[in-house]
Amino acid sequence: GAGVSQSPRYKVAKRGQDVALRCDPISGHVSLFWYQQALGQGPEFLTYFQNEAQLDKSGLPSDRFFAERPEGSVSTLKIQRTQQEDSAVYLCASSGLGGRLNEQFFGPGTRLTVL
Amino acid sequence: GNSVTQMEGPVTLSEEAFLTINCTYTATGYPSLFWYVQYPGEGLQLLLKATKADDKGSNKGFEATYRKETTSFHLEKGSVQVSDSAVYFCALRGSSNTGKLIFGQGTTLQVKP
């Protein structure tokens, strides 16, 4: 596709439910990032993939958060036993080689509301 | 650790006014600096960037200069338009190999006709 796509765009979950958020990066982009954006705040880094390898997961807030990118393309962010504090917009971004020198292109985000 | 601080908003200006949004940073090494913009209902878009000290990034009439001596990257535009109304985020990318971005909290700009 032309840009980064994310699905679903909106997700409402009851506290304790598991959710899965999908990211389709720009075709051929090696690097993929997940960010969490709380209301009225800037995005905060969660995790980074280079191809299928998860090279940095230092931003994941707890072991309830899990991300994967098994074939080096589509990525899924899973949140188990959701809590109200997980309510946020989850952004995915992709970039070309290495991620260090190239622009990150962001998707529209998934707005998660935990009731 | 690395961090970014932006001036709090909202900033409300009349059309054709001069805009400054302040951004300062704390980082080790030699970070790259960015301004991203988020228009209503849209995703984050890169506005401009600078990768080394004294570089000036520019795009769509916006400018920002990487000032290492003052650890700043202030965003400026000489004459704003209603269409510039958006949330602006300052960000840095540190010297690590992952390329992750560290964002400020965002500044909302509202331009009135």
Side-chain angles (χ1 to χ4, degrees):
Chain A
V4 179
S5 60
Q6 293 186 244
S7 60
R9 291 293 310 278
Y10 303 91
K11 177 69 179 177
V12 178
K14 292 182 179 178
R15 193 163 56 118
Q17 280 185 330
D18 298 348
V19 298
L21 312 180
R22 177 187 169 107
C23 172
D24 285 80
I26 292 172
S27 178
H29 274 191
V30 170
S31 297
L32 186 145
F33 302 81
W34 283 99
Y35 294 86
Q36 180 190 58
Q37 186 176 17
L39 187 64
Q41 301 297 314
E44 292 192 359
F45 170 79
L46 293 176
T47 188
Y48 161 68
F49 290 87
Q50 184 170 329
N51 295 306
E52 69 278 5
Q54 189 176 18
L55 299 185
D56 187 345
K57 54 183 181 179
S58 62
L60 296 177
S62 77
D63 59 7
R64 297 186 295 105
F65 287 71
F66 173 77
E68 59 183 6
R69 194 186 185 198
E71 297 180 357
S73 178
V74 171
S75 177
T76 303
L77 176 67
K78 298 179 180 178
I79 309 174
Q80 297 176 325
R81 305 181 304 280
T82 52
Q83 305 294 314
Q84 284 189 322
E85 61 263 29
D86 300 335
S87 295
V89 176
Y90 290 86
L91 298 171
C92 177
S94 70
S95 68
L97 293 175
R100 200 174 165 201
L101 300 177
N102 288 281
E103 176 183 348
Q104 291 185 27
F105 294 86
F106 283 81
T110 295
R111 182 178 297 278
L112 172 66
T113 303
V114 181
L115 303 177
Chain B
N2 295 345
S3 66
V4 175
T5 302
Q6 288 180 238
M7 63 185 287
E8 289 196 19
V11 174
T12 303
L13 296 173
S14 298
E15 207 165 19
E16 299 184 2
F18 184 86
L19 168 71
T20 300
I21 300 178
N22 290 338
C23 171
T24 57
Y25 68 90
T26 301
T28 55
Y30 302 93
S32 295
L33 301 173
F34 305 83
W35 278 100
Y36 278 82
V37 59
Q38 190 168 37
Y39 297 104
E42 298 184 17
L44 276 170
Q45 301 174 26
L46 178 64
L47 180 60
L48 54 83
K49 66 181 179 184
T51 57
K52 61 183 187 295
D54 299 325
D55 268 2
K56 178 185 286 188
S58 61
N59 186 25
K60 300 181 180 180
F62 290 89
E63 293 183 340
T65 301
Y66 186 160
R67 302 284 189 201
K68 194 165 179 64
E69 63 275 14
T70 54
T71 61
S72 65
F73 193 55
H74 305 320
L75 182 68
E76 297 181 335
K77 187 175 186 182
S79 176
V80 294
Q81 306 300 312
V82 172
S83 57
D84 293 327
S85 298
V87 183
Y88 292 81
F89 293 92
C90 186
L92 74 80
R93 184 174 60 211
S95 303
S96 72
N97 290 329
T98 65
K100 66 185 179 186
L101 294 170
I102 296 170
F103 287 87
Q105 73 271 33
T107 302
T108 300
L109 170 65
Q110 185 177 24
V111 180
K112 296 186 174 181

